[in-house]
Amino acid sequence: MSLDLLRHLDVLHDPRFAASATQPDPSVILSENPATGKPLGGVRLQDADAYDKCVAASHAAFLRWREVPAPARGQIVREMADEFRKFKEPLGELVSLEMGKIRAEGLGEVQETIDIADYAVGLSRQLPGQVFPSERAGHRMFEQWLPLGPVGVITAFNFPNAVWAWNAMLAAICGDTVVWKPSLLTPLVSIATQRIADRVLTRHGHPDVFQLIIGADDVVGHRMVADRRFPLISATGSCRMGRAVGRVVADRLGRCLLELGGNNAIIVNDDADQELAVRAVVFGAVGTAGQRCTTTRRIIVHEKIADGFVSRLVKGYQQVMAKIGDPRKEGTLVGPLANARAVEGFLAAIAAAKQQGASVLVGGDRASLPGELASGHFVQPTIIRAPAGNKLPIAQEETFAPILYIFTFKTLDEAISLHNGVDQGLSSAIFTESIRASERFLSVTGSGSDCGIANVNIGTSGAEIGGAFGGEKDTGGGRESGSDSWKAYMRRQTCTINYGGRFELAQGIRFE
Ligand code: UN1
């Protein structure tokens, strides 16, 4: 069955695909189905030589691609959007199979790719620069945005298709080329994705605009980050990874676009629509088995409603418990974690929380499932209540698993300070029916949420592509996807033209 899918998505013809890679071969990694622990297929790792060829080809392609007018580049991206529409089902299924998110979310991820491609098409007729009044007579001053060069894109396992697309579709219309280093946990999705886009590019005589390089961090990743041929490295992953990438890129004075960990909280005020809040919290905390950077990890609930709200939440979780299973099966709500290490991380965080005086209200263990799912990496969605005084050091960390910590507050100021009291600053939300509380949370003075994303009566995950996506503090400060994120993929040039013919200096300087 999975072979049919791989055939349909043309993965089997990729030279990197190694079908019968069951014999030990250090140059081949096995991609696993996290729901069963069984291999889906082997992928041959690329070496330093392949890397160099790939970057050289990307650079050569850039020199031609930047000559194509942006709206014409947009038309090629439009065809990519169509191609991804055509393959939405099978590609979404493959995302579900290899990454472990439920089918609906797998399809949603490919939809996100289609959305950003559509967005990029429109943008290809804009990329607007501004005109500024010159202080000198007979002068015109304006800025223009120019293609930047090959962009190195490093993506994580949890959004193996869409996060590449955020970068690749914008880079493409901006006139850049892309070299993509995907997570080694999801190489098959990356091959399928690359081949879909490649067919369109090849049809138009630009086969090397997108490149995929699948390799180990110490062979490909480190080279890429240090490589001056990439004026921009866009990296998604843990804060630890981002720090390492940021240091190396800064050392060569390159540019970085970092989208790192989150530790997202929802404040539930005493006047919240609790029904709405429970639904949003359950999706935010349990969706994608807690493996989104936008996953809701902390609830900060008003003490007046805390007990009632928490028991509603526990009821919701109990219903979800029965829906842990094969992510590709209709009705499943929670799939597996990425691998055994992720399960260990989940268990270690729970043990630490207990040791720090917190109590597990629901979940707290592996989920044992029958049949071939018995060897999958399933865990129970878990709610943990912080001890009185809200002291719970483990909640400062992002554990990539469905663990939700509950804190309580008396005043909104206290809630916001708890909310902001973590190192990460990606996404945030408040549930309230009060305009005062909502405005306090979104205050234009900056004294409310300190995150890159702040929502009212909407959970922390599931952002649309039209807004800029990213966060502050240890989340890395980068912005991808909508708004003016495209500017990261271009270089700005300020131009002043003297059409008056008189020699005139700014700041009134005379130099006769
Ligand atoms: C991620 O987890 O790296 O807002 C990206 C969301 C999705 C993207 C998540 N649109 O949850």
Side-chain angles (χ1 to χ4, degrees):
M1 175 136 160
S2 59
L3 217 56
D4 285 348
L5 197 57
L6 294 175
R7 185 172 300 116
H8 185 53
L9 287 163
D10 199 29
V11 173
L12 301 187
H13 293 121
D14 194 277
R16 284 166 285 224
F17 185 75
S20 55
T22 35
Q23 71 276 41
D25 176 347
S27 69
V28 171
I29 48 155
L30 287 181
S31 168
E32 246 187 46
N33 175 355
T36 61
K38 303 257 155 48
L40 293 167
V43 174
R44 218 162 271 121
L45 292 177
Q46 293 171 273
D47 60 13
D49 201 38
Y51 166 81
D52 263 326
K53 286 200 180 102
C54 172
V55 183
S58 184
H59 196 264
F62 168 67
L63 298 182
R64 290 188 296 119
W65 184 239
R66 68 179 178 184
E67 299 296 332
V68 178
R73 296 193 293 254
Q75 286 309 302
I76 297 175
V77 169
R78 184 176 61 76
E79 287 183 34
M80 280 188 222
D82 289 346
E83 204 68 8
F84 280 107
R85 275 191 175 84
K86 219 158 74 195
F87 285 97
K88 179 176 167 181
E89 287 259 328
L91 187 56
E93 289 229 354
L94 183 60
V95 169
S96 172
L97 182 67
E98 192 180 37
M99 183 276 159
K101 63 178 71 177
I102 62 170
R103 191 171 179 279
E105 291 190 65
L107 297 185
E109 174 162 357
V110 181
Q111 184 59 47
E112 200 160 334
T113 289
I114 296 164
D115 292 344
I116 192 72
D118 285 352
Y119 178 86
V121 178
L123 203 56
S124 72
R125 290 193 179 268
Q126 303 181 49
L127 307 176
Q130 300 190 66
V131 181
F132 306 97
S134 170
E135 67 191 55
R136 289 170 279 185
H139 285 60
R140 186 164 72 87
M141 181 165 62
F142 61 95
E143 67 185 11
Q144 54 180 0
W145 292 89
L146 313 173
L148 187 63
V151 177
V153 174
I154 298 171
T155 58
F157 79 94
N158 65 331
F159 273 78
N161 172 255
V163 171
W164 163 82
W166 289 354
N167 287 282
M169 297 304 156
L170 292 190
I173 58 116
C174 290
D176 301 338
T177 53
V178 170
V179 178
W180 177 21
K181 182 198 173 298
S183 159
L184 293 185
L185 293 178
T186 48
L188 299 176
V189 170
S190 69
I191 291 176
T193 300
Q194 176 74 20
R195 290 184 80 86
I196 290 171
D198 261 0
R199 278 198 291 276
V200 177
L201 288 163
T202 303
R203 206 155 64 212
H204 289 278
H206 293 283
D208 292 331
V209 165
F210 292 162
Q211 303 268 348
L212 174 67
I213 182 95
I214 302 180
D217 284 350
D218 56 350
V219 178
V220 167
H222 295 177
R223 272 196 173 71
M224 186 179 216
V225 171
D227 196 328
R228 293 178 67 88
R229 290 173 290 182
F230 292 112
L232 173 67
I233 296 287
S234 173
T236 303
S238 67
C239 297
R240 197 168 55 92
M241 178 277 269
R243 259 190 205 99
V245 169
R247 259 196 296 268
V248 177
V249 177
D251 196 51
R252 63 175 175 90
L253 301 178
R255 267 197 230 165
C256 244
L257 199 172
L258 297 176
E259 205 262 278
L260 311 175
N263 189 347
N264 318 295
I266 295 181
I267 296 177
V268 185
N269 205 19
D270 54 357
D271 57 12
D273 176 336
Q274 292 194 37
E275 175 62 28
L276 191 66
V278 166
R279 296 190 66 164
V281 171
V282 175
F283 175 73
V286 167
T288 330
Q291 299 173 106
R292 290 193 191 213
C293 53
T294 50
T295 291
T296 308
R297 310 214 175 271
R298 298 176 297 138
I299 293 298
I300 303 166
V301 55
H302 196 289
E303 63 171 19
K304 265 208 272 184
I305 60 159
D307 289 345
F309 183 74
V310 168
S311 64
R312 276 175 178 226
L313 212 51
V314 168
K315 264 198 208 104
Y317 267 56
Q318 277 154 354
Q319 285 169 23
V320 167
M321 269 333 155
K323 313 243 175 193
I324 305 172
D326 183 348
R328 292 204 298 153
K329 227 180 86 200
E330 188 68 36
T332 300
L333 293 180
V334 188
L337 293 186
N339 51 23
R341 222 172 93 205
V343 176
E344 293 308 321
F346 164 86
L347 294 171
I350 291 167
K354 283 185 188 159
Q355 212 242 327
Q356 291 164 11
S359 32
V360 175
L361 304 184
V362 62
D365 210 342
R366 295 170 198 269
S368 34
L369 295 170
E372 59 169 3
L373 301 180
S375 45
H377 310 297
F378 292 93
V379 300
Q380 300 170 335
T382 297
I383 302 180
I384 291 180
R385 190 153 180 174
N390 286 329
K391 286 261 167 311
L392 187 58
I394 187 67
Q396 295 283 322
E397 287 169 35
E398 178 190 49
T399 302
F400 231 51
I403 303 176
L404 184 66
Y405 301 106
I406 311 279
F407 299 89
T408 52
F409 72 92
K410 279 194 183 60
T411 67
L412 201 50
D413 283 351
E414 185 191 348
I416 288 172
S417 117
L418 259 175
H419 176 277
N420 293 347
V422 294
D423 291 335
Q424 310 85 343
L426 179 55
S427 187
S428 61
I430 188 168
F431 276 74
T432 180
E433 295 295 296
S434 140
I435 195 164
R436 282 197 190 159
S438 151
E439 290 295 312
R440 170 78 186 84
F441 186 68
L442 302 179
S443 170
V444 291
T445 66
S447 62
S449 162
D450 63 0
C451 291
I453 298 169
N455 297 331
V456 176
N457 295 335
I458 291 179
T460 56
S461 67
E464 302 175 20
I465 59 96
F469 184 94
E472 304 299 335
K473 303 195 288 184
D474 284 6
T475 302
R479 291 297 186 279
E480 293 179 300
S481 181
S483 182
D484 65 352
S485 306
W486 59 270
K487 290 179 176 171
Y489 304 85
M490 302 198 88
R491 62 187 171 89
R492 183 197 314 245
Q493 188 167 63
T494 304
C495 311
T496 312
I497 299 174
N498 177 357
Y499 61 85
R502 279 188 43 209
F503 178 68
E504 214 182 320
L505 295 169
Q507 294 87 42
I509 294 172
R510 301 187 70 86
F511 200 80
E512 304 294 343

